Amino acid sequence: MHGIFGDTNGTWANDNGRTFFDLLASAPGMQGKLDLFAFGFTSTMWGGGSLDIREAANKMESYLAFNHVWDYDSVVFVAHSMGGLVTLREVINQPQHRAKVPLVFLFATPTEGSQITAVAQYVVDNPAIRQMFMANGNDFLKLLDEDWRRLAPGDRPHVACAYEKSPTYGQMIVAWSSATRLCDGTPDAIEGANHLTLVKPDRPDHPSVIALVNAINTYAPVSADQALLDMPDFRQDGDHWAYTLADADARNSARLRNTGARRLAYEIREISSQRLLVWPAEQATIEPGQTDTVSFALLHGKIDPQYSLVIRARPLPDRTVIVNVPDVQAVERQQRALVETMSAGISDYLASAGTVDELKRLGEDEQRTRVADAARRAAAARIGELPEGAQWVITADALAEVGWPALATSALRKTEAVSPSLAKSPAAIAVADTVATQSGALKVFDWQAERIPDPPASGEPKTWAYITAGNAAHWSALSERLGEVPALAPEGLNLKGDVLSVTGQNTDAKRAYTRAAQLRDSPLSKQRIRTVDAQLRRHDVQG
């Protein structure tokens, strides 16, 4: 980014034909690692048409977007003189891009104004000149300084600076104090260089080239093998990383540590199975020297011994992670225990004095939401401290597992309200598809397109797997408590039918199922009736 009265190429070219572009691209460690984009704006001393700093920043954003510069994972700004003010305004104005900007390098940028402008203003009618009057009389520079300092330290790029040491035509254009005002760390003095020759290096080891290359290596390394991300809870195994799901419950988390000097953005991609719930579900950032956590949970369904995903933290290469499940049966036992804990939490909540009467005064949606929240709190007590969005997904999965799609729908909608990104994760979508299949709903989440759900798989209702002679009394009591809540009467009758069928009372079970279907018809209700009908037929044949 050139400065006032400069141009896209001439600003950076030495009289011997060498350009800053060529010297940077051929510097040690830089070859083949970076692309260069030079931006220019109209800035003439005597002619008209010059852009002021605000206009130049707007034009810069248009050109960066048009030329797909923001498609890169890392973008470093290198600016000379007034071009630095344009660059700072661009970074301030475009918060959506700041995570991709690790470094801004300012060569003699007059952040306090420039002495030469005090002279030039009398002979040059140029709007950009007026914006570089000394800071104590310059509202533009004061606002720029305030806007920059308002950015949180982790939300603004590192600023490296270099300043001139020789006068230009007898005048120091930008004083040391002005060139280093916003600099992070120690600025570089470019010996023998004046304001113009500062960015016209004549050799590979010119101080300006060295200063810029060192800053890039420190704050925006282009070497893929320079470690910025440490994964202490993962084990490197050949071309991938491995993580062992040590706890069959949802207490599985692994640390990601930023060991570099720049803020690091990462995201989890290419999750191999919808049964694997991973969060964070959206792009997250880790500040230098800080640690973030990636967590995993397995949802109900067929448990595989291995899963895979990709951790993307550009500019580092993608890291493929294999998640190993050493004991599938232990996971299944934990999932069973979670369902039992959840059902006990619902039962205790409904048995509390005054709870049912309070629920009856609410609308049906709120009744279901309150009971779903009781299930979530019971589940959270078992699976540990998790983000609320993850708790809701796990709760919805357990509610769908026992065949209560209306309650599961309430839990999923809470997921959508609490964590929209997690609601769009493959795992949450899989649970929503299961719930839609059970209930016959065309969609569960507001953002989903309507579709005709697949019919439920044939076989016994899943609730039956949790009912035994030893705990039938618990499930029976829960069915009665659910039945006292108007919005949950179908759930109570279906659960009553499940208990009756498991205990051999199939005729009474069919009556309960039929009554539930009359209150709220669904594919799952029909499946329960078909299943108990088949059992009655078998009993008749055997009889």
Side-chain angles (χ1 to χ4, degrees):
M1 180 66 176
H2 66 76
I4 196 167
F5 309 146
D7 61 61
T8 309
N9 296 307
T11 291
W12 312 95
N14 190 276
D15 290 342
N16 66 7
R18 310 299 290 271
T19 68
F20 210 145
F21 309 135
D22 295 334
L23 293 171
L24 176 62
S26 61
M30 298 290 117
Q31 301 95 326
K33 300 292 187 178
L34 49 79
D35 292 324
L36 291 163
F37 178 84
F39 172 74
F41 63 99
T42 303
S43 179
T44 59
M45 184 176 295
W46 304 110
S50 292
L51 301 182
D52 66 23
I53 292 169
R54 176 189 56 82
E55 292 167 335
N58 292 339
K59 180 183 177 183
M60 178 196 281
E61 174 58 22
S62 296
Y63 274 59
L64 294 178
F66 180 79
N67 289 280
H68 298 280
V69 173
W70 291 122
D71 290 351
Y72 288 83
D73 296 300
S74 291
V75 177
V76 170
F77 286 93
V78 181
H80 175 239
S81 190
M82 193 195 81
L85 303 180
V86 177
T87 297
L88 293 173
R89 177 48 60 190
E90 156 72 9
V91 173
I92 291 168
N93 288 352
Q94 308 299 331
Q96 72 276 20
H97 299 318
R98 285 200 288 266
K100 291 188 173 186
V101 184
L103 172 66
V104 171
F105 200 108
L106 303 178
F107 283 98
T109 290
T111 55
E112 289 184 339
S114 173
Q115 290 287 354
I116 196 64
T117 60
V119 177
Q121 63 174 306
Y122 295 110
V123 296
V124 178
D125 183 16
N126 187 298
I129 281 286
R130 290 192 296 273
Q131 289 182 341
M132 288 196 297
F133 297 164
M134 298 305 291
N136 59 1
N138 188 326
D139 290 338
F140 171 83
L141 286 181
K142 288 180 180 178
L143 179 62
L144 183 71
D145 184 87
E146 291 173 0
D147 288 347
W148 184 260
R149 295 182 189 279
R150 282 195 191 100
L151 299 180
D155 190 37
R156 65 186 182 213
H158 182 90
V159 178
C161 304
Y163 57 95
E164 61 211 60
K165 287 292 291 180
S166 297
T168 304
Y169 306 124
Q171 175 75 43
M172 292 297 292
I173 305 296
V174 178
W176 173 88
S177 61
S178 186
T180 62
R181 179 180 176 84
L182 296 180
C183 187
D184 300 317
T186 304
D188 289 282
I190 309 302
E191 66 269 24
N194 64 28
H195 190 71
L196 300 178
T197 62
L198 187 71
V199 290
K200 298 177 182 293
D202 59 353
R203 60 191 187 278
D205 62 348
H206 188 279
S208 290
V209 177
I210 292 174
L212 178 55
V213 170
N214 285 343
I216 291 175
N217 282 332
T218 301
Y219 300 104
V222 296
S223 177
D225 59 1
Q226 179 164 349
L228 282 174
L229 180 64
D230 183 31
M231 299 166 53
D233 299 319
F234 298 84
R235 175 177 53 85
Q236 192 161 11
D237 187 4
D239 61 351
H240 67 270
W241 297 73
Y243 177 79
T244 299
L245 207 68
D247 192 328
D249 243 332
R251 301 185 187 93
N252 297 280
S253 59
R255 292 166 293 168
L256 301 180
R257 183 179 297 127
N258 182 357
T259 59
R262 61 171 287 190
R263 183 175 31 150
L264 189 64
Y266 77 94
E267 58 184 332
I268 310 298
R269 304 170 62 92
E270 301 177 33
I271 302 171
S272 64
S273 171
Q274 292 182 315
R275 296 291 99 194
L276 182 64
L277 175 64
V278 184
W279 62 92
E282 59 188 353
Q283 187 180 84
T285 57
I286 315 174
E287 299 301 326
Q290 299 300 308
T291 299
D292 205 5
T293 300
V294 176
S295 299
F296 311 92
L298 286 173
L299 302 182
H300 286 86
K302 182 180 179 295
I303 305 299
D304 296 324
Q306 281 189 342
Y307 300 87
S308 66
L309 54 89
V310 170
I311 298 178
R312 175 164 294 173
R314 296 294 178 85
L316 299 174
D318 289 352
R319 300 189 184 190
T320 298
V321 174
I322 302 298
V323 179
N324 295 300
V325 184
D327 192 340
V328 171
Q329 291 182 338
V331 174
E332 293 171 344
R333 288 193 298 271
Q334 293 279 27
Q335 289 181 337
R336 181 185 183 95
L338 179 63
V339 168
E340 293 170 349
T341 298
M342 179 196 70
S343 69
I346 294 174
S347 184
D348 291 343
Y349 170 68
L350 294 177
S352 300
T355 296
V356 172
D357 289 338
E358 180 182 357
L359 290 174
K360 287 179 179 179
R361 291 192 290 269
L362 303 174
E364 290 197 352
D365 286 345
E366 184 61 23
Q367 291 176 35
R368 285 189 283 266
T369 298
R370 295 278 184 99
V371 174
D373 189 52
R376 178 190 65 84
R377 286 183 276 109
R382 179 175 185 84
I383 60 182
E385 293 295 327
L386 300 178
E388 186 179 349
Q391 293 178 7
W392 280 116
V393 174
I394 293 170
T395 300
D397 177 59
L399 291 166
E401 172 69 9
V402 295
W404 297 335
L407 283 172
T409 297
S410 295
L412 287 172
R413 287 176 178 164
K414 288 295 291 186
T415 303
E416 189 172 24
V418 170
S419 179
S421 61
L422 192 59
K424 293 183 179 181
S425 68
I429 293 171
V431 178
D433 288 345
T434 297
V435 171
T437 295
Q438 292 177 342
S439 65
L442 298 180
K443 65 176 184 177
V444 173
F445 293 123
D446 289 339
W447 55 266
Q448 286 182 304
E450 292 186 352
R451 69 175 185 84
I452 299 175
D454 298 326
S458 59
E460 296 178 346
K462 291 186 176 181
T463 317
W464 292 5
Y466 298 93
I467 301 172
T468 66
N471 66 15
H474 157 72
W475 290 101
S476 180
L478 178 56
S479 72
E480 296 298 326
R481 288 167 181 156
L482 289 170
E484 293 176 3
V485 181
L488 300 179
E491 281 77 12
L493 286 166
N494 277 325
L495 181 54
K496 179 179 180 179
D498 293 344
V499 174
L500 290 169
S501 185
V502 170
T503 56
Q505 303 173 70
N506 290 310
T507 301
D508 292 336
K510 182 176 179 180
R511 292 194 187 97
Y513 291 149
T514 302
R515 177 58 180 152
Q518 291 170 345
L519 293 176
R520 189 195 306 133
D521 194 16
S522 70
L524 194 57
S525 293
K526 291 183 173 68
Q527 180 195 13
R528 281 180 157 107
I529 293 172
R530 287 195 302 270
T531 301
V532 78
D533 275 341
Q535 290 192 343
L536 287 169
R537 285 195 297 271
R538 286 196 298 270
H539 182 268
D540 289 342
V541 170
Q542 292 170 356

